[in-house]
Amino acid sequence: MPSREETLLDAAIGILGRHGVRALTHRAVDAAAAVPTGSTANYFKTRDMLISAVADRFADRDRATWQAIAGFVRPTTAVELAAALAAYVHRALGPERALTIARYGLFVEAALRPELQGRLAEAALSIRTWGTEWLRAIGSADPESECAAILDYLDGLIFHQLTFPGSADMVEAAITQTVCRLCTTAT
């Protein structure tokens, strides 16, 4: 069960993903979380404090999501890895679209506010560690570099699909082709 603070931050992430960073206000979070006016301000005195806390909560949620994925995804080939990543992209563009948009909104904020970069970078490092382990398990000759290239590709693909959607089949085929090209053990 999330704490009151986590509930507020989850509501803030929802606002960010559905309406953008400009809509992220204390009042909007209060309304989205169905709490009395002023509740969010009691936890986060300023908008900057709210955005910083949102970045931390998002990083925690992102890390937990990937930890869960890493717990049950055990690819043995590049094709299996591509299928797992395509499933992730499908969720990111479908049922978790608002969360994905919030992610990119936070990335833009981090580009403008360097103090957020470290918070988001820690979560990204955890994700790259799991990805590197997947690549190592399938016999990659350079799992760190290949993981970086694959995850950077997926970030670009997801961002592009949010803006200029294509068919799910085309996206899956592109992921499979790219992962197999980037993975030195593609089979």
Side-chain angles (χ1 to χ4, degrees):
M1 184 83 162
S3 69
R4 174 86 160 218
E5 184 174 342
E6 291 169 336
T7 298
L8 294 171
L9 294 172
D10 290 343
I13 290 169
I15 291 165
L16 185 59
R18 285 187 302 279
H19 306 291
V21 73
R22 288 179 141 177
L24 187 59
T25 65
H26 289 87
R27 281 184 190 226
V29 175
D30 290 342
V35 297
T37 301
S39 296
T40 301
N42 287 334
Y43 285 90
F44 315 103
K45 301 294 181 203
T46 66
R47 189 167 185 277
D48 284 345
M49 290 174 71
L50 176 60
I51 291 173
S52 292
V54 166
D56 289 340
R57 176 67 174 160
F58 182 85
D60 290 345
R61 285 179 56 179
D62 205 27
R63 196 174 10 256
T65 296
W66 279 94
Q67 185 173 10
I69 292 169
F72 69 84
V73 172
R74 301 275 189 247
T76 59
T77 67
V79 172
E80 288 178 7
L81 176 59
L85 295 173
Y88 168 77
V89 169
H90 174 72
R91 286 188 55 186
L93 295 172
E96 295 181 358
R97 181 180 173 85
L99 185 61
T100 302
I101 292 169
R103 179 175 187 258
Y104 288 105
L106 286 169
F107 286 0
V108 170
E109 282 298 303
L112 301 171
R113 298 176 51 185
E115 70 273 11
L116 298 179
Q117 292 173 4
R119 294 176 170 121
L120 297 173
E122 288 176 29
L125 181 59
S126 296
I127 292 165
R128 287 182 189 247
T129 299
W130 290 309
T132 298
E133 290 306 312
W134 287 335
L135 285 159
R136 187 171 285 120
I138 64 175
S140 168
D142 189 4
E144 290 86 6
S145 295
E146 290 173 6
C147 178
I150 289 168
L151 291 178
D152 288 348
Y153 166 76
L154 290 177
D155 269 337
L157 175 78
I158 291 168
F159 187 75
H160 190 269
Q161 288 299 310
L162 287 170
T163 310
F164 309 107
S167 79
D169 290 341
M170 288 175 54
V171 169
E172 189 168 338
I175 292 169
T176 300
Q177 183 180 40
T178 301
V179 169
C180 288
R181 280 186 182 160
L182 292 174
C183 185
T184 55
T185 62
T187 55

